[in-house]
Amino acid sequence: MAHYNGPKARINRRLASKQDERLVPIFESAGAVRALERRPFAPGMARAHGRKSVYGQSLAEKQKIKYYYGLSERQLRKLYSIAKRQKGNTGDNLKILCERRLDNVIRRAGLCKTRPQARQGVAHRHFLVNGRPTNVASFSVRPGDVISVASSQKLRELYKLIAADNSTGIDLPWLSVDMENLTITVTSMPMAEDFSLPVEIGLVVEFLAR
């Protein structure tokens, strides 16, 4: 699951969430988004009728988070275990832990167009955290951390082109982005409201608590 290479269009059509009368795709690649726009219904010859069981709904919500953030089942359960031990609401804690992932921060800041693209860049050490290269996409950022593109001229030109062509970066209160210098500064911890995926987190927590 952490390196899902299957048909992304099918996942989008099956698990896309509705928000403000629009469908929010799980995968943001151009082909997968176009497929969802052309056929905004679940794949397969037979259409599903009636409501899903509570188990089916909970499973679908859990799968959304796994695909959206590129998590394996083990990684998601590890995050849940951490969230459960922290003070406060477990669901909100889980949301915040997902948002703090390094690959997600890079994507949300607009230096990459998709999370898989950001994860690949991290794996190839294209990014530095506080001046040190890291290849761990699951690295959990903290306030004060500075993420920057490596000093290679080719890499900096590449990410400037991506950033200039990318209209999906979002102005977030917990991130300060300097596109000229290709740096992201984490100014504060994200809030549960900053979670970018419409999901019934209560159902996810119930499923993981079994």
Side-chain angles (χ1 to χ4, degrees), residues 134-149:
T134 179
N135 62 352
V136 182
S138 61
F139 178 89
S140 191
V141 301
R142 297 179 178 181
D145 284 347
V146 178
I147 300 132
S148 57
V149 176

Side-chain angles (χ1 to χ4, degrees), residues 182-202:
L182 298 175
T183 61
I184 308 164
T185 303
V186 183
T187 56
S188 63
M189 291 285 276
M191 305 293 288
E193 294 75 21
D194 296 317
F195 192 70
S196 50
L197 174 68
V199 67
E200 291 288 339
I201 196 67

Side-chain angles (χ1 to χ4, degrees), residues 146-183:
V146 178
I147 300 132
S148 57
V149 176
S151 59
S152 165
Q153 185 63 30
K154 287 185 177 180
L155 283 181
R156 297 187 68 80
E157 290 175 0
L158 170 65
Y159 284 102
K160 280 194 174 183
L161 285 173
I162 293 174
D165 190 46
N166 188 9
S167 61
T168 54
I170 299 174
D171 184 21
L172 296 171
W174 56 286
L175 295 179
S176 175
V177 184
D178 182 350
M179 286 299 185
E180 182 64 29
N181 295 309
L182 298 175
T183 61

Side-chain angles (χ1 to χ4, degrees), residues 69-96:
Y69 287 99
L71 303 171
S72 67
E73 184 75 21
R74 182 177 180 181
Q75 286 174 319
L76 179 57
R77 290 189 177 276
K78 182 178 179 180
L79 289 180
Y80 167 73
S81 179
I82 296 171
K84 188 171 61 172
R85 294 195 302 269
Q86 292 176 335
K87 293 181 180 179
N89 182 276
T90 300
D92 289 349
N93 292 340
L94 181 59
K95 287 181 175 182
I96 292 169

